[in-house]
Amino acid sequence: MKPSNLLEYKLSTLLRDAIQKGLFPGGVMLVEQDGYPVMHQAMGEASTYPERRALSTAHIFDLASLTKIVTTTLILMLIQEDKIRLQTPVLKHLSWLGKVGEGVTIQHLLTHTSGYRAWQPFYVIHKNNNHSIEDTLKCIEREADPATDVIYSDANFILLGKVIEAIEKQNLSQVLYHRLVRPLNLSGLQYRPSHEITSQMVPTEFGNRIEAEMVSKRKQSFEHFRQNVIWGEVNDGNSYYFLQGIAGHAGLFGTATDVAAIARLYMMDNPWLSSDIQQLALRDYTPNASVGRALGWVYDREQTGGFYHTGFTGTSVWVDPSKKLSAVIMTSRLHQDKPKDINSFRKACHQVVTTCL
C-alpha cells in the first residue's frame, strides 16, 4: 500500500472511531506535504442542534487559540521588517500597561514566559466596573517573574495583538486582511464573520456554560453570558465580551485550507517569512521547562519532534519542517452536551502522519 493510501486509511479510521465514541459530532482533516494536499477529508456532522447538517471540507470553524499562530505570524513579519525585536520591552509600544508590563519582552509573550496568570475573565472587570480596555488590562495578574516558568496565558497574546495594532496603526482585523488574507487569498480567514455566511459555519457550545462555571469558581459574577447555541460568534469570552471579537488570542474563523496555508509559511520558501525567520520561530526557547515553547508554537519534544498548537473549540495544527509536513484537524468538539478531551486523538493523528510520510 502506498504511504499516502495507508495514511488516509489510518486517519479515516481514527476519525470514524472518534465520532462513534462521541468525541465530537464531526471533523475535517487536511494533511499536506511539500505544499500539496495528501489527504483532505470531512466526516460526520457540522451541527446536531438546532438542525442536523453534514460536515464538508469547506465549512468554517471557530479557530479559537489557533488565532495565536496567526498573531505570531504577524509579529514575525514585523520582526523581519525590523519594526520590532524579540527583546523589545512590551512597554515600548504599550506604555499604558505600567507596572504590569515591567520586565516583559515580546519573546516572553510569544513563549508564554511572562509570568502572567493562566486565565482571567477580563470581561468581568470591563463590564462590571465600566473600565476601558487599557485600564482592564492593567489588572493582569502575575503568578511568576518573567522567564522563570512557562504559564500558558491568553493575556500574552491579547497584548501581542495590541502591540501589532500600535505598530501598524490599524485594528487587528485590518492588519490581518492586508498582510495575510488578501495576498494569500484566504477567503475564509476572518474576524467577526457576516451573518450571511452562518450556514457555512460550524457552531460551538450550547451557551458559554464552561466559562460561566470558571467564573463561578473564582467567586465572581457576570450577567451577560450567552445561553443559546453559539453559532457565527467567537466562543471565547474575553474575545467576545471584552474585545468585540477581534483579539490576538482568539476570535478568528477559517477553514482547514486557511490554516494549512498559514502552516505552509513556516516550511516553504515564501516572501512573508524568510527561512531565517522560520528557523528563529521553530526552536525550543524553554529547554529547562516542562513544556517546550517555540515562538507561538508548542515544541513536541517527546513524540514527533514537530511543532503544534491546539484550539479549545477542537481545532489543531501540527508541522514538521524537516519533512515539510503539516496536519490540520478541525472538529466540533464543543457542540454537544458534555464536551470531551480530544488530546489523545490529536496525538494519535500526528503519530500516524509522521510515521506514514
Side-chain angles (χ1 to χ4, degrees):
M1 185 180 289
K2 293 181 179 180
S4 58
N5 292 340
L6 180 62
L7 172 87
E8 186 165 1
Y9 170 76
K10 288 188 173 183
L11 288 182
S12 296
T13 301
L14 284 172
L15 185 56
R16 186 177 300 106
D17 288 348
I19 293 171
Q20 291 175 349
K21 291 175 182 176
L23 291 186
F24 41 77
V28 175
M29 286 188 179
L30 172 55
V31 178
E32 288 191 353
Q33 187 166 37
D34 295 319
Y36 295 97
V38 177
M39 173 190 179
H40 194 189
Q41 181 177 7
M43 192 181 296
E45 295 176 307
S47 64
T48 59
Y49 183 86
E51 59 185 271
R52 290 189 175 275
R53 298 178 305 135
L55 184 65
S56 76
T57 56
H59 265 97
I60 298 170
F61 287 75
D62 179 342
L63 300 184
S65 283
L66 295 198
T67 301
K68 294 181 174 73
I69 294 301
V70 178
T71 300
T72 296
T73 305
L74 294 173
I75 287 285
L76 290 171
M77 293 169 78
L78 295 178
I79 290 174
Q80 182 166 279
E81 295 166 8
D82 204 26
K83 293 182 178 179
I84 198 171
R85 298 183 180 182
L86 288 180
Q87 299 311 316
T88 299
V90 68
L91 288 176
K92 178 177 180 180
H93 297 287
L94 306 180
S95 59
W96 46 262
L97 262 181
K99 187 175 181 179
V100 76
E102 290 180 358
V104 177
T105 66
I106 298 302
Q107 181 173 320
H108 290 140
L109 299 179
L110 286 167
T111 58
H112 292 282
T113 54
S114 65
Y116 292 145
R117 187 181 181 119
W119 180 78
Q120 287 179 251
F122 295 114
Y123 48 86
V124 173
I125 302 170
H126 182 60
K127 294 279 189 182
N128 294 354
N129 299 291
N130 199 28
H131 281 359
S132 67
I133 289 174
E134 290 79 9
D135 284 343
T136 301
L137 290 175
K138 289 179 184 177
C139 298
I140 292 174
E141 300 169 10
R142 183 169 283 166
E143 295 185 357
D145 293 329
T148 58
D149 199 4
V150 173
I151 302 173
Y152 180 80
S153 174
D154 285 344
N156 292 313
F157 277 77
I158 291 175
L159 294 182
L160 284 169
K162 293 300 176 185
V163 168
I164 293 168
E165 291 180 338
I167 293 173
E168 295 290 83
K169 295 179 173 52
Q170 293 179 311
N171 75 37
L172 207 50
S173 182
Q174 293 170 319
V175 178
L176 173 77
Y177 178 77
H178 291 298
R179 284 190 168 269
L180 290 174
V181 171
R182 186 171 63 182
L184 292 175
N185 194 28
L186 305 180
S187 58
L189 192 66
Q190 59 199 292
Y191 287 105
R192 298 174 59 172
S194 166
H195 292 301
E196 295 177 358
I197 63 168
T198 298
S199 62
Q200 303 170 40
M201 308 188 74
V202 176
T204 55
E205 205 175 354
F206 299 164
N208 272 133
R209 295 185 293 182
I210 295 173
E211 286 207 27
E213 184 176 349
M214 292 167 67
V215 168
S216 178
K217 286 182 178 179
R218 288 175 63 99
K219 302 188 184 306
Q220 294 176 298
S221 63
F222 186 70
E223 299 177 353
H224 308 283
F225 282 119
R226 291 163 288 179
Q227 303 298 323
N228 298 325
V229 173
I230 299 173
W231 191 354
E233 297 174 342
V234 59
N235 191 89
D236 180 86
N238 278 324
S239 182
Y240 181 78
Y241 302 112
F242 175 41
L243 295 165
Q244 293 76 54
I246 300 175
H249 73 294
L252 276 177
F253 291 79
T255 65
T257 302
D258 295 324
V259 176
I262 298 297
R264 214 176 295 138
L265 298 179
Y266 288 83
M267 299 179 292
M268 310 293 291
D269 291 335
N270 66 87
W272 294 277
L273 297 181
S274 68
S275 59
D276 287 345
I277 291 293
Q278 292 174 30
Q279 292 172 26
L280 180 74
L282 299 181
R283 64 176 68 164
D284 190 353
Y285 282 84
T286 59
N288 298 319
S290 58
V291 179
R293 298 297 319 197
L295 300 183
W297 298 78
V298 184
Y299 175 43
D300 187 359
R301 295 173 180 159
E302 299 179 359
Q303 188 183 23
T304 65
F307 300 83
Y308 68 91
H309 210 291
T310 62
F312 185 70
T313 53
T315 58
S316 66
V317 57
W318 170 90
V319 298
D320 182 346
S322 66
K323 295 182 177 180
K324 291 184 168 52
L325 265 177
S326 69
V328 177
I329 303 171
M330 312 281 264
T331 77
S332 50
R333 180 184 85 88
L334 292 183
H335 190 66
Q336 51 189 336
D337 285 327
K338 295 183 179 180
K340 312 291 195 306
D341 186 326
I342 65 169
N343 282 333
S344 295
F345 165 76
R346 288 163 166 156
K347 290 179 180 179
C349 292
H350 298 164
Q351 189 62 55
V352 166
V353 174
T354 196
T355 301
C356 290
L357 296 177

